[in-house]
């Protein structure tokens, strides 16, 4: 078995995508910040003492998508040509969805996942003073398009 991120001596390496042609690619990821009813109420009422939680989380997620290669050492530096982070307050907390797009040589799955994770952490940071039991859960890829492996959609 060969591993794409190991060289012939078993050492970590970044996969060389130089010869690949840029193509349009996108990825959508999701996650949830689980919150109790008091936090949900404060979010809905705009009464979180630190300010506009959803706006801060949205910007944090977009910024994170663009900085993914700084956090994941084998991720490629690619052009993030579009990034949208959506947050919805539900009865159980905040549902986060991020879609990232590029026209580059490799996909944006990690950028979408990073956007969701950091947006979720921003929500946690903003509300932890109200309830320390909030948690970030279920960060996962929902779909991707483009690239050599083609399109993929989560079955559930």
């Amino acid at each position: 078995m060969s591993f794409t991120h190991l060289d012939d001596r078993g050492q970590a390496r970044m996969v060389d995508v130089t010869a690949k042609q840029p193509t349009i690619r996108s990825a959508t990821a999701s996650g949830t910040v689980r919150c109790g009813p008091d936090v949900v109420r404060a979010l809905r009422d705009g009464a979180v003492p630190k300010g506009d939680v959803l706006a801060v989380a949205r910007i944090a997620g977009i910024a994170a998508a663009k900085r993914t290669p700084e956090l994941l050492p084998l991720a490629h530096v690619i052009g993030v040509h579009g990034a949208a982070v959506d947050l919805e307050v539900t009865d159980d907390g905040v549902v986060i969805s991020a879609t990232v797009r590029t026209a580059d040589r490799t996909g944006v799955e990690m950028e979408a996942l990073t956007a969701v994770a950091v947006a979720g952490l921003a929500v946690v940071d903003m509300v932890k003073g109200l309830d320390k039991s909030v948690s970030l859960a279920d960060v996962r890829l929902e779909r991707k398009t483009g690239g050599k492996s083609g399109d993929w959609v989560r079955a559930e």
Side-chain angles (χ1 to χ4, degrees):
M1 175 185 283
S2 68
F3 296 98
T4 60
H5 284 75
L6 297 178
D7 67 14
D8 57 1
R9 296 175 299 169
Q11 296 178 353
R13 68 176 176 109
M14 178 186 261
V15 173
D16 186 350
V17 296
T18 307
K20 292 175 77 176
Q21 291 301 309
T23 60
I24 295 172
R25 302 157 183 264
S26 70
T28 300
S30 67
T32 303
V33 177
R34 295 196 178 117
C35 306
D38 292 341
V39 173
V40 169
R41 190 169 24 265
L43 287 164
R44 288 183 171 150
D45 294 343
V48 175
K50 287 189 174 183
D52 189 341
V53 174
L54 303 185
V56 170
R58 185 175 299 108
I59 297 301
I62 292 168
K66 297 190 299 183
R67 298 187 73 160
T68 298
E70 294 176 35
L71 302 169
L72 302 173
L74 299 181
H76 291 88
V77 176
I78 61 171
V80 172
H81 298 121
V85 177
D86 297 308
L87 299 101
E88 178 186 2
V89 179
T90 67
D91 291 343
D92 298 320
V94 180
V95 175
I96 305 162
S97 176
T99 299
V100 179
R101 293 180 44 84
T102 191
D104 218 316
R105 291 175 170 85
T106 189
V108 285
E109 295 91 339
M110 296 314 300
E111 286 76 5
L113 288 161
T114 301
V116 168
V118 171
L121 290 172
V123 172
V124 170
D125 182 48
M126 297 284 288
V127 303
K128 71 182 185 292
L130 299 173
D131 181 359
K132 300 217 182 316
S133 71
V134 296
S135 63
L136 175 58
D138 304 320
V139 175
R140 63 191 200 170
L141 186 65
E142 297 294 342
R143 69 184 61 82
K144 64 121 323 308
T145 65
K148 186 170 123 182
S149 65
D151 298 350
W152 177 87
V153 177
R154 180 171 291 284
E156 357 176 25

